[in-house]
C-alpha cells in the first residue's frame, strides 16, 4: 500500500506538478481544444450542407471525408497531419507544432460535427424551408437564415459534448513535440513521469482533465434537460385552452312560462 501511494499520490511530486499544469498545461489544453472546436464547427456546418445536397457528386466528397476521419484512430490522424505534412514539405504553420495540433484535432472534430449538424438540420420540419421559399428567399438564404440556426439549436448538447471530446483528444498532440510554453496537460505530466519514474504527475494531470470535463458534462446534461423542458413548456404555452362552462354561459332548463 505504501508503494502504491508513493507511486501515484506522492505529495512532493503533486506539489511540483500542479503549478505547471494549472498555468501552462491547462491554458494550452483549452487553447488547442477551443481553436479546434471553432475550426470543426465551421467545417462541420459546410460538410453537413454538402451531405444534404440532392446532387450525388456534391455529397460524395463530403461523405468520403466524414467516413475517413471518423474511421481513422485519432492518434493516426494526429501523426499524419502533425508529422506527415511537414515531412512532405507542406508547412502551412512553418515549424510551429501548435498549429498542426489544432489542425489535426479540428479535422477530426469536423467529421463528427458534420453528422451532428446534419441530423440537427434534418430534424427541422420541412415546412420551415417551404415557407421561407414561398416568401421569396433563395435556397442558400433560407438555409442560412431559417433552417441552419434551428438545426444548431437542436444539437447544442451534442456540440458541447464534442468539445469535451476535443479536450481529451488534445492529449494526443504530445506526439508532435510541443515546445516550452506550448505544452498541454499530458505532455507536461508525461515529461515529469519520464524524469522521475513516478506517476503522481499523471494523476495530477488526470485531476486537471476532470476539472474541465466534469463541469462541462454537467452543463451538457443541464442544457439538454432545459431544451427538452423548454420545448414542452412552449407547447403548453401555445396550446389553446379549453373553455370552462360557467353558470352564466350554461343554458338553463326551460321554465314553465317559457314552455
Amino acid at each position: 500500500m505504501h508503494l502504491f501511494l508513493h507511486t501515484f499520490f506522492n505529495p512532493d511530486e503533486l506539489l511540483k506538478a500542479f503549478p505547471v499544469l494549472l498555468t501552462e498545461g491547462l491554458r494550452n489544453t483549452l487553447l488547442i481544444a477551443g481553436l479546434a472546436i471553432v475550426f470543426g464547427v465551421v467545417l462541420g456546418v459546410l460538410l453537413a450542407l454538402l451531405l444534404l445536397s440532392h446532387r450525388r457528386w456534391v455529397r460524395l466528397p463530403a461523405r468520403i471525408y466524414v467516413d475517413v476521419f471518423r474511421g481513422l484512430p485519432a492518434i493516426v490522424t494526429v501523426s499524419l497531419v502533425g508529422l506527415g505534412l511537414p515531412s512532405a514539405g507542406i508547412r502551412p504553420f512553418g515549424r510551429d507544432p501548435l498549429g498542426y495540433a489544432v489542425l489535426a484535432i479540428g479535422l477530426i472534430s469536423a467529421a463528427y460535427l458534420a453528422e451532428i449538424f446534419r441530423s440537427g438540420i434534418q430534424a427541422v420540419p420541412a415546412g420551415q424551408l417551404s415557407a421561407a421559399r414561398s416568401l421569396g428567399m433563395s435556397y442558400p438564404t433560407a438555409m442560412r437564415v431559417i433552417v441552419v440556426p434551428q438545426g444548431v439549436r437542436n444539437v447544442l448538447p451534442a456540440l458541447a459534448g464534442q468539445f469535451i471530446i476535443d479536450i481529451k483528444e488534445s492529449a494526443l498532440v504530445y506526439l508532435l513535440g510541443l515546445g516550452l510554453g506550448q505544452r498541454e496537460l499530458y505532455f507536461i505530466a508525461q515529461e515529469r513521469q519520464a524524469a522521475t519514474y513516478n506517476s503522481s504527475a499523471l494523476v495530477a494531470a488526470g485531476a486537471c482533465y476532470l476539472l474541465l470535463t466534469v463541469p462541462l458534462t454537467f452543463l451538457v446534461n443541464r442544457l439538454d434537460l432545459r431544451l427538452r423542458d423548454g420545448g414542452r413548456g412552449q407547447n403548453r404555452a401555445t396550446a389553446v385552452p379549453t373553455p370552462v362552462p360557467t353558470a352564466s354561459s350554461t343554458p338553463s332548463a326551460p321554465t314553465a312560462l317559457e314552455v
Side-chain angles (χ1 to χ4, degrees):
M1 188 64 179
H2 174 74
L3 181 60
F4 178 85
L5 294 175
H6 177 77
T7 302
F8 293 101
F9 300 98
N10 188 307
D12 293 334
E13 290 299 324
L14 291 174
L15 289 175
K16 292 177 182 178
F18 268 120
V20 184
L21 289 171
L22 293 175
T23 54
E24 181 181 347
L26 194 63
R27 181 190 69 237
N28 289 323
T29 293
L30 288 174
L31 177 64
I32 293 171
L35 292 177
I37 197 67
V38 171
F39 177 80
V41 165
V42 175
L43 183 57
V45 170
L46 176 60
L47 290 169
L49 295 177
L50 295 179
L51 290 172
L52 292 171
S53 174
H54 298 294
R55 297 179 176 87
R56 179 181 175 85
W57 61 272
V58 175
R59 295 196 311 269
L60 185 59
R63 174 52 56 192
I64 292 175
Y65 176 96
V66 170
D67 289 344
V68 167
F69 280 94
R70 292 181 69 186
L72 286 175
I75 194 169
V76 174
T77 302
V78 171
S79 300
L80 289 174
V81 173
L83 302 176
L85 290 182
S87 300
I90 305 174
R91 299 185 176 92
F93 305 103
R95 297 184 178 275
D96 184 11
L98 189 63
Y100 297 99
V102 172
L103 177 62
I105 302 300
L107 289 174
I108 299 170
S109 182
Y112 289 92
L113 287 172
E115 289 291 358
I116 291 174
F117 286 128
R118 179 189 62 79
S119 63
I121 292 173
Q122 287 183 326
V124 178
Q128 299 284 335
L129 179 60
S130 301
R133 296 299 301 276
S134 68
L135 293 176
M137 292 186 183
S138 63
Y139 179 81
T141 302
M143 291 294 291
R144 177 175 57 86
V145 177
I146 304 298
V147 179
V148 172
Q150 294 184 66
V152 171
R153 182 182 181 276
N154 291 337
V155 299
L156 280 178
L159 184 62
Q162 183 60 41
F163 181 58
I164 295 175
I165 295 175
D166 289 347
I167 289 176
K168 293 187 291 185
E169 288 187 343
S170 66
L172 297 174
V173 303
Y174 83 96
L175 295 169
L176 308 184
L178 299 173
L180 190 63
Q182 297 180 332
R183 300 172 300 172
E184 42 76 41
L185 289 171
Y186 178 75
F187 193 100
I188 294 173
Q190 192 269 341
E191 277 189 332
R192 188 72 188 172
Q193 193 273 341
T196 62
Y197 297 100
N198 189 283
S199 299
S200 298
L202 292 174
V203 173
C208 292
Y209 280 114
L210 292 176
L211 183 66
L212 294 174
T213 58
V214 170
L216 284 174
T217 303
F218 177 76
L219 177 63
V220 169
N221 294 335
R222 288 293 302 272
L223 181 60
D224 185 46
L225 183 62
R226 183 174 181 179
L227 289 176
R228 293 176 186 273
D229 290 344
R232 290 196 295 267
Q234 184 178 4
N235 293 336
R236 289 194 297 266
T238 55
V240 178
T242 303
V244 179
T246 60
S248 59
S249 61
T250 304
S252 57
T255 60
L257 292 176
E258 291 173 335
V259 174

